[in-house]
Amino acid sequence: MDALSGTERLIALSEIQELKARRDHSLDLKEWDTYVSLHAPDHVSSHGAQDGGDMGSAADVVRQLAVTLDGVITAHHSHTPVIEFETPEKAKCVWAMEDNLYWKQGEEDHWLRGFGFYHETCEKRDGVWLFTSRSLRRTHVMMSPGAKLGAERAALNKQNA
Amino acid sequence: MDALSGTERLIALSEIQELKARRDHSLDLKEWDTYVSLHAPDHVSSHGAQDGGDMGSAADVVRQLAVTLDGVITAHHSHTPVIEFETPEKAKCVWAMEDNLYWKQGEEDHWLRGFGFYHETCEKRDGVWLFTSRSLRRTHVMMSPGAKLGAERAALNKQNA
Amino acid sequence: MDALSGTERLIALSEIQELKARRDHSLDLKEWDTYVSLHAPDHVSSHGAQDGGDMGSAADVVRQLAVTLDGVITAHHSHTPVIEFETPEKAKCVWAMEDNLYWKQGEEDHWLRGFGFYHETCEKRDGVWLFTSRSLRRTHVMMSPGAKLGAERAALNKQNA
């Protein structure tokens, strides 16, 4: 049950929204240390196959992203959250999202444009809100013809390294 | 006049922003019962011709949308609201917006991409904020060549049913 | 140091977010008087070359924009702010952003689509929050082949006037 007072709830909402802002910004700026610091050690990330499948902990995710997003410009934008508190220190959040990715394969320009909803949970631990899980549920995704991302791109990067 | 105290006003802002979030999410997820429940029985929707013209009440709107959006993937994203209170239980809201629609006509992929501002009013009734009106003022809209939406698409769907 | 109480900080956050909303809306609606009124007289704007370079004060910016954006439809959308208070009346803000511009060159349709982060400062003066600086740091920008914007477009407009 949500036993937060009016003001306490507003403060929690604002802290969770800032947590999300820092996650989206640090992802697109590839500030991986900041990115990891926003997630609990036991955080679990599970996306669709196109978006990395079961990605494990935040540290695991970053190890994968640093490879698969090497040379990829990304813009992850999140909108209009619905945030519900299970307890004063535990919340479920749904954000509408759009992401745009741009990269080269040799001389060719490639891109991905996608839409969906982030389903996230977060918890306040030692006074600080942290993500504890994330799942991306896609509604639509488009890619340039011949585009390679994820494992395929990681293999391509390794081959060219 | 806005006679809300600081905290009361912040709570109302957060409730109205959540109302908007639930509207955009339920529209794109085609959760029509939820969509209707966010609108007052006397809600009035009036859009440009391309966006459905005078669409009537929320129940009327949903009856039309369920037909015209059948088979259409939609992403309606709303941004940076300006919310003004006429009374503590009556507000006017302007949101910047972008929408992206994707659908098939036979084997052909079609799309719409648009920009504009939602002008909305909402009221707190029996302790719950509800939409009482919505008008979409377009600044720009693009469609794939040969794209058919709205009444044209509804006719096409009926013909193919 | 941030010496704001919980509620005072929430009010300041909401006022700064509304300031940003009014800026984005008035820019896209070309409501230049409103646009100028949201900026301090000593406001400084510095963007990348493509986005106008060192643009000077808000009044200078508007004089340039009124020329370079004449006949250009724009949508500037800002997302997920990180707002930090240096003092109770001085804040630094970072917003993720996307902009889309559409215009004609003779009979040809042209466009720009860009992504980046707005870095802004604002101050509360005589009880009202105002922008004191803005810098746009691009992560990606695309333009239609042959597109002319900024000084080139201003010259083109003058030539055709």
Side-chain angles (χ1 to χ4, degrees):
Chain A
M1 287 297 98
D2 179 354
L4 291 165
S5 79
T7 304
E8 285 169 343
R9 193 172 179 280
L10 293 171
I11 291 172
L13 286 175
S14 123
E15 288 175 348
I16 291 169
Q17 291 183 20
E18 185 178 320
L19 179 72
K20 179 61 164 174
R22 290 186 188 277
R23 183 266 174 188
D24 283 1
H25 297 201
S26 62
L27 175 56
D28 290 338
L29 294 167
K30 298 186 169 59
E31 296 175 344
W32 301 125
D33 290 349
T34 301
Y35 188 92
V36 171
S37 74
L38 307 170
H39 297 77
D42 51 331
H43 178 275
V44 179
S45 198
S46 64
H47 293 352
Q50 204 150 26
D51 296 294
D54 273 329
M55 300 179 78
S57 74
D60 290 340
V61 167
V62 158
R63 263 189 295 274
Q64 295 167 53
L65 289 179
V67 176
T68 57
L69 295 186
D70 183 39
V72 180
I73 296 163
T74 67
H76 291 81
H77 290 167
S78 302
H79 312 300
T80 54
V82 172
I83 299 174
E84 293 177 311
F85 292 91
E86 294 177 34
T87 77
E89 307 207 321
K90 218 168 171 173
K92 289 171 53 175
C93 315
V94 181
W95 295 76
M97 68 85 72
E98 174 180 343
D99 55 344
N100 287 274
L101 279 62
Y102 301 99
W103 69 97
K104 294 257 183 204
Q105 289 171 202
E107 295 301 302
E108 279 175 27
D109 286 312
H110 284 276
W111 55 268
L112 174 150
R113 187 170 186 215
F115 301 89
F117 292 90
Y118 280 123
H119 288 250
E120 300 175 333
T121 56
C122 50
E123 289 183 31
K124 197 171 185 179
R125 297 196 185 166
D126 296 324
V128 178
W129 285 96
L130 296 173
F131 289 111
T132 50
S133 76
R134 176 172 305 115
S135 159
L136 174 54
R137 303 191 193 163
R138 288 285 191 193
T139 53
H140 195 57
V141 64
M142 294 167 292
M143 294 172 76
S144 50
K148 294 191 198 313
L149 268 183
E152 278 192 298
R153 184 178 161 78
L156 214 66
N157 280 353
K158 208 171 285 178
Q159 189 183 310
N160 294 338
Chain B
M1 288 297 99
D2 179 354
L4 291 166
S5 79
T7 304
E8 285 169 343
R9 192 172 179 282
L10 292 172
I11 291 173
L13 286 174
S14 124
E15 289 175 347
I16 290 169
Q17 291 183 20
E18 186 178 319
L19 178 71
K20 178 61 163 175
R22 291 186 187 277
R23 184 266 175 188
D24 283 2
H25 297 201
S26 61
L27 174 57
D28 291 338
L29 293 168
K30 298 187 168 60
E31 297 175 343
W32 301 124
D33 290 349
T34 301
Y35 188 92
V36 170
S37 74
L38 307 170
H39 297 76
D42 51 330
H43 179 273
V44 179
S45 197
S46 64
H47 292 354
Q50 204 151 26
D51 296 295
D54 274 330
M55 299 179 79
S57 73
D60 289 341
V61 167
V62 159
R63 262 189 296 275
Q64 296 167 52
L65 290 179
V67 176
T68 57
L69 295 186
D70 182 39
V72 181
I73 296 164
T74 67
H76 291 80
H77 290 167
S78 301
H79 313 300
T80 54
V82 173
I83 299 174
E84 294 177 310
F85 292 91
E86 295 178 33
T87 76
E89 307 207 320
K90 219 169 170 172
K92 289 171 54 175
C93 314
V94 181
W95 295 75
M97 67 85 72
E98 174 180 344
D99 55 345
N100 287 274
L101 278 62
Y102 301 97
W103 69 97
K104 293 258 184 203
Q105 290 170 202
E107 295 301 302
E108 279 175 28
D109 285 313
H110 284 276
W111 55 268
L112 174 150
R113 187 171 185 214
F115 301 90
F117 292 90
Y118 280 124
H119 288 250
E120 300 175 332
T121 57
C122 51
E123 289 181 32
K124 197 172 184 178
R125 296 194 185 166
D126 296 325
V128 179
W129 286 96
L130 297 173
F131 289 111
T132 50
S133 75
R134 176 173 305 116
S135 159
L136 174 55
R137 303 190 193 163
R138 287 286 191 193
T139 53
H140 195 57
V141 66
M142 295 167 291
M143 294 171 78
S144 50
K148 294 191 197 314
L149 269 184
E152 279 192 296
R153 184 178 159 78
L156 213 66
N157 280 352
K158 209 171 285 177
Q159 190 183 311
N160 294 338
Chain C
M1 288 296 99
D2 177 355
L4 291 166
S5 79
T7 304
E8 284 170 343
R9 192 173 178 281
L10 293 172
I11 291 173
L13 286 174
S14 124
E15 289 175 347
I16 291 169
Q17 291 183 19
E18 186 177 319
L19 179 72
K20 178 60 163 175
R22 291 185 186 277
R23 183 266 175 190
D24 284 1
H25 297 201
S26 61
L27 174 57
D28 291 338
L29 294 168
K30 298 187 167 61
E31 296 176 343
W32 301 124
D33 291 349
T34 301
Y35 188 92
V36 170
S37 74
L38 306 170
H39 297 77
D42 51 331
H43 179 274
V44 179
S45 197
S46 64
H47 292 353
Q50 202 151 27
D51 296 294
D54 272 331
M55 301 180 79
S57 73
D60 290 340
V61 168
V62 158
R63 263 190 295 273
Q64 295 167 53
L65 290 180
V67 176
T68 57
L69 294 186
D70 183 39
V72 180
I73 296 164
T74 67
H76 291 80
H77 290 167
S78 301
H79 312 299
T80 53
V82 172
I83 299 175
E84 293 177 310
F85 293 91
E86 296 178 32
T87 76
E89 307 207 322
K90 219 169 170 171
K92 290 171 53 176
C93 314
V94 181
W95 294 75
M97 68 85 73
E98 175 182 342
D99 55 344
N100 287 274
L101 279 63
Y102 301 98
W103 69 97
K104 293 257 184 203
Q105 288 170 203
E107 295 300 303
E108 279 174 27
D109 285 313
H110 284 277
W111 54 267
L112 175 150
R113 186 170 187 215
F115 300 90
F117 292 90
Y118 280 124
H119 288 250
E120 301 176 331
T121 57
C122 51
E123 289 181 33
K124 197 172 185 179
R125 296 194 186 166
D126 297 324
V128 178
W129 285 96
L130 296 172
F131 289 111
T132 50
S133 76
R134 175 173 305 116
S135 160
L136 174 55
R137 303 189 194 164
R138 288 286 191 193
T139 53
H140 195 58
V141 65
M142 295 166 290
M143 294 173 76
S144 50
K148 294 190 197 316
L149 268 184
E152 278 192 297
R153 184 178 159 78
L156 213 66
N157 280 353
K158 208 172 284 178
Q159 190 183 310
N160 294 338

